[in-house]
Amino acid sequence: MISFCGIALAHPIVNGSGTFDAIAARRAFGDALLDDFPFAAFVSKTVTLAPRQGNPPPRLWELGAGMINSIGLPNKGLAGFVAEDLPRLAELRVPLIVNVMGSTPEEVARLVAAFAERDEVAALELNVSCPNVKTGLLMGADPGETAALLDAVRPRSDKPLIVKLTPNCASPAAVAAAAEAHGADAVSLVNTLRGMAIHPRRTGEPWLGGSTGGVSGPAIRAVALAQVREVRERVRLPIVGMGGVQRGRHARDLLDAGADIVAVGTESFRDPRAGARVAAELEEMGANSGIAGTPLPTGRRRISQRA
Ligand SMILES: Cc1cc2nc3c(=O)[nH]c(=O)nc-3n(C[C@H](O)[C@H](O)[C@H](O)COP(=O)(O)O)c2cc1C
């Protein structure tokens, strides 16, 4: 067992929001899914106040090393999620983390407040990859915006608040520092990197219905490593590291770069058991290599070791 923000986890692997549909998986695999859930905690897809349709199709473009999605955060909205999804997700035998997003700090505060007294919910993840409709600035791209968001949200709940950082900004580390100074309990990174694909038959036209989308998978693994390391150098908060994890080695690298736990995202589309597999590979590596507790040669000190 490990502890993350006071939440007991059986191992350090969780899912990336929006990349594993636990309700659909339960329909497909039945109660066997509950007995042998691939992740140590379940992170919901982003929930918004009002229902959203998402972006027009096409919504996916496959890359040589990952994909671009422009799903556009379709969801039932807060009321639909609480009435229909929350009771089902509460049946999972792992802690539940609900991911929320709003277009103003007040909207996010309302979402956070709605889960404050819900015992089924262990923590909240704030998806800040959204413009503040009042200022036009991305809430997670500007340290001042992030500070204002935390100031609005923090008083509304005692539950751990995890700020999901966007890589599409000048300095995720500066945003993480603002989140830490204004009461966040953890940060998670990376969200997808903005990208686009050109239609193969219509010159110059975007392929995706949303025009641009988010790049994920192995293509972004090196970016994730660099950003996790940079954030670790700025903050003491626990970090959920993610981006292109396919194997235990990739999770190990993120942990060594400074993450406390790791999320598996795109890989779950190829292998729904990826979370459990990565956790097992990681454990085997630890047992076989003596990595845990072994000092690394000078110059390669694990930067996750804090003063
Ligand atoms: C199809 C898809 C849907 C996603 N939906 C969400 C979402 O609803 N909320 C969110 O915060 N991140 C969402 N993400 C981002 C992932 O949680 C994760 O941050 C990102 O994909 C990087 O990890 P990976 O390379 O392992 O996929 C989504 C990613 C994909 C590929």
Side-chain angles (χ1 to χ4, degrees), residues 59-274:
R59 289 174 161 187
L60 288 180
W61 175 263
E62 193 173 340
L63 297 170
M67 64 175 172
I68 316 178
N69 87 78
S70 81
I71 308 283
L73 306 174
N75 76 97
K76 300 172 180 172
L78 176 63
F81 177 83
V82 168
E84 293 169 32
D85 292 358
L86 192 55
R88 293 185 204 163
L89 296 177
E91 286 173 22
L92 301 174
R93 296 179 195 137
V94 296
L96 174 63
I97 299 173
V98 175
N99 178 304
V100 297
M101 188 186 83
S103 48
T104 60
E106 295 70 34
E107 243 183 71
V108 184
R110 281 175 62 192
L111 284 154
V112 165
F115 294 104
E117 305 301 328
R118 289 275 177 176
D119 288 342
E120 311 93 307
V121 178
L124 291 155
E125 184 174 56
L126 312 181
N127 178 356
V128 293
S129 299
C130 179
N132 179 338
V133 289
K134 291 194 181 142
T135 64
L137 292 169
L138 215 60
M139 280 193 260
D142 176 86
E145 287 280 331
T146 307
L149 174 68
L150 264 301
D151 289 348
V153 165
R154 182 69 278 180
R156 308 298 294 273
S157 175
D158 294 330
K159 294 206 190 283
L161 296 177
I162 307 162
V163 175
K164 184 158 183 183
L165 303 172
T166 171
N168 303 312
C169 71
S171 174
V175 173
E180 179 171 55
H182 289 259
D185 296 285
V187 290
S188 53
L189 70 152
V190 293
N191 209 325
T192 54
L193 276 80
R194 193 168 47 256
M196 95 178 278
I198 297 295
H199 197 293
R201 291 175 299 279
R202 296 192 209 139
T203 312
E205 274 185 39
W207 165 261
L208 294 166
S211 185
T212 61
V215 180
S216 67
I220 69 168
R221 194 186 305 134
V223 177
L225 271 176
Q227 295 203 355
V228 165
R229 186 185 174 110
E230 205 183 311
V231 169
R232 171 47 71 225
E233 282 165 354
R234 283 286 290 275
V235 304
R236 300 171 75 88
L237 292 177
I239 295 176
V240 188
M242 70 192 98
V245 173
Q246 296 180 293
R247 297 199 292 274
R249 174 77 255 169
H250 306 147
R252 183 73 254 163
D253 287 350
L254 280 169
L255 295 169
D256 289 346
D260 296 84
I261 63 171
V262 168
V264 172
T266 300
E267 181 67 1
S268 293
F269 290 103
R270 236 166 41 116
D271 171 10
R273 298 280 312 151

